Amino acid sequence: MIQETFSHTMDIYHYLVAGIDPRLKSYPLMQSPISMSAILLCYLFFVLYLGPRFMAKRKPFQLKEAMIVYNFMLVVLSIYIVYEFLMSGWATTYTWRCDAIDTSNSPQALRMVQVAWLFWFSKIIELMDTIFFVLRKKHGQITFLHIFHHSFMPWTWWWGVSYAPGGMGSFHAMVNSTVHIIMYFYYGLAAAGPRFQKFLWWKKYMTAIQLTQFVLVSLHATQYYFMDRCDYQFPLVIHLVWMYGTFFFVLFSNFWFQAYVKGKRLPKQDVKQCQNGTAVYANGKLHENGNGINHVADATTTTSNGSAHHENGSAYLGKMKKA
């Protein structure tokens, strides 16, 4: 019985691998899902178990320079990905409605295959978001939403790229990369130090930007269900994209409500300050480098290491007490 089950499982595995787009066989980590899955399992093991144990008796690492380079590198990469998506079809031949996958070996089709893979690979690079949290001992930022988003998306997109590199299913990849240009630019400035804080007035709009992306993705996928006919080759991808956009919209909306409406992610004294219209200092949890989902409510000053910049607030309070 066990042998038959194993044999049947291997048959399914070989069937799935055989269906991978042959144009992707030469790309790194695209020969089978094993390597990709192993990377994600190692990521989960490190951020949930090994990393916290390793850092338990150590001081947080100061990674200011590394974070600046990392964030602005992802800004450049995201700009390139968006440009390539546009030139591969979205700004040239696509209708923005029912766009089939070009399965030929034309230069434009191969260009779309390349950028689809590059988008997926950027999700592997972004696993560093959580590793920075662990090494800097920002455990409060390693939430279920953060880890689920970072592990679930690269795993599912591997299959999407393997079977459907292009067409209307790639819309959400282009939108996501556009959002990441804004997001990692913000984090790069935040990591650069207090002198750049005056340019970060738009922090409170970060979650709203991400909510907008999920609305756009879901709406674009929804039109598929109202078309009389669509020749897109993998309808399953559209169904998954729609569920993805809707599911994450609900999760991010809940974060928005808890953080910005109810203020539950703020210490009590900071909530009172926020309600009184004064600046909020969130005990070292402002402007963290991550995926735009782990921020406390509207704050005005931070440092590059994510610690609150009180501007000699203690001395000022002492003077006020004397007065």
Side-chain angles (χ1 to χ4, degrees):
M1 181 65 180
I2 296 177
Q3 185 176 359
E4 291 180 1
T5 302
F6 178 77
S7 177
H8 183 63
T9 302
M10 292 304 298
D11 289 341
I12 295 175
Y13 170 78
H14 290 305
Y15 174 78
L16 292 174
V17 172
I20 295 175
D21 192 311
R23 297 173 298 177
L24 281 157
K25 291 294 181 69
S26 62
Y27 283 82
L29 303 175
M30 297 306 296
Q31 289 69 42
S32 80
I34 295 177
S35 299
M36 170 271 298
S37 299
I39 291 174
L40 294 176
L41 288 174
C42 289
Y43 160 78
L44 291 173
F45 178 71
F46 179 82
V47 301
L48 295 177
Y49 178 77
L50 183 62
R53 287 177 64 89
F54 174 77
M55 294 299 299
K57 297 181 180 180
R58 290 176 171 82
K59 293 182 179 180
F61 287 99
Q62 302 299 318
L63 302 171
K64 174 182 176 180
E65 291 77 12
M67 289 172 60
I68 293 173
V69 173
Y70 168 76
N71 285 305
F72 284 112
M73 178 195 73
L74 283 175
V75 170
V76 174
L77 179 60
S78 298
I79 291 174
Y80 177 75
I81 289 174
V82 172
Y83 175 77
E84 286 297 299
F85 269 123
L86 290 171
M87 294 299 101
S88 299
W90 288 102
T92 53
T93 58
Y94 281 16
T95 65
W96 296 65
R97 298 193 74 243
C98 178
D99 295 299
I101 302 166
D102 186 348
T103 58
S104 71
N105 288 317
S106 68
Q108 188 170 16
L110 295 177
R111 192 174 184 178
M112 176 62 80
V113 170
Q114 182 183 59
V115 70
W117 175 86
L118 186 59
F119 172 78
W120 171 79
F121 190 72
S122 72
K123 302 299 119 182
I124 300 298
I125 297 174
E126 289 168 13
L127 298 178
M128 285 299 299
D129 288 2
T130 323
I131 294 175
F132 278 128
F133 283 149
V134 173
L135 296 179
R136 296 171 62 226
K137 300 186 78 168
K138 303 297 182 182
H139 303 304
Q141 307 299 322
I142 307 175
T143 63
F144 166 78
L145 178 56
H146 177 88
I147 293 177
F148 182 77
H149 182 74
H150 275 64
S151 56
F152 179 77
M153 187 167 184
W155 194 85
T156 54
W157 238 91
W158 187 92
W159 295 99
V161 171
S162 297
Y163 287 90
M168 67 182 300
S170 65
F171 175 77
H172 79 287
M174 183 176 65
V175 173
N176 182 255
S177 295
T178 303
V179 170
H180 280 202
I181 295 172
I182 303 171
M183 188 178 70
Y184 283 106
F185 180 72
Y186 170 86
Y187 295 133
L189 289 180
R195 57 182 175 173
F196 291 95
Q197 301 311 311
K198 61 183 178 181
F199 302 111
L200 300 178
W201 54 267
W202 42 282
K203 171 192 179 297
K204 62 183 178 180
Y205 300 110
M206 290 298 297
T207 305
I209 292 172
Q210 290 197 316
L211 286 171
T212 302
Q213 98 169 290
F214 297 128
V215 171
L216 292 175
V217 166
S218 296
L219 287 177
H220 181 264
T222 299
Q223 65 177 332
Y224 174 83
Y225 303 107
F226 296 94
M227 295 177 183
D228 294 332
R229 182 187 177 194
C230 182
D231 296 327
Y232 181 73
Q233 296 93 321
F234 295 95
L236 177 61
V237 173
I238 302 301
H239 305 327
L240 292 175
V241 167
W242 186 89
M243 288 189 291
Y244 169 85
T246 304
F247 179 68
F248 276 100
F249 177 82
V250 172
L251 289 180
F252 275 69
S253 296
N254 179 65
F255 167 81
W256 173 276
F257 180 74
Q258 298 295 333
Y260 292 97
V261 179
K262 300 183 72 173
K264 283 188 174 182
R265 294 180 63 86
L266 290 173
K268 291 181 179 179
Q269 65 270 23
D270 293 335
V271 175
K272 291 179 181 179
Q273 288 177 338
C274 185
Q275 290 173 344
N276 291 331
T278 57
V280 177
Y281 301 104
N283 296 332
K285 293 184 180 178
L286 298 180
H287 299 307
E288 294 293 350
N289 182 48
N291 231 350
I293 58 181
N294 296 314
H295 305 298
V296 294
D298 216 359
T300 57
T301 55
T302 59
T303 66
S304 59
N305 291 323
S307 59
H309 180 59
H310 291 276
E311 300 179 340
N312 298 322
S314 298
Y316 178 78
L317 289 174
K319 293 179 181 180
M320 290 295 292
K321 288 179 179 179
K322 290 180 181 179

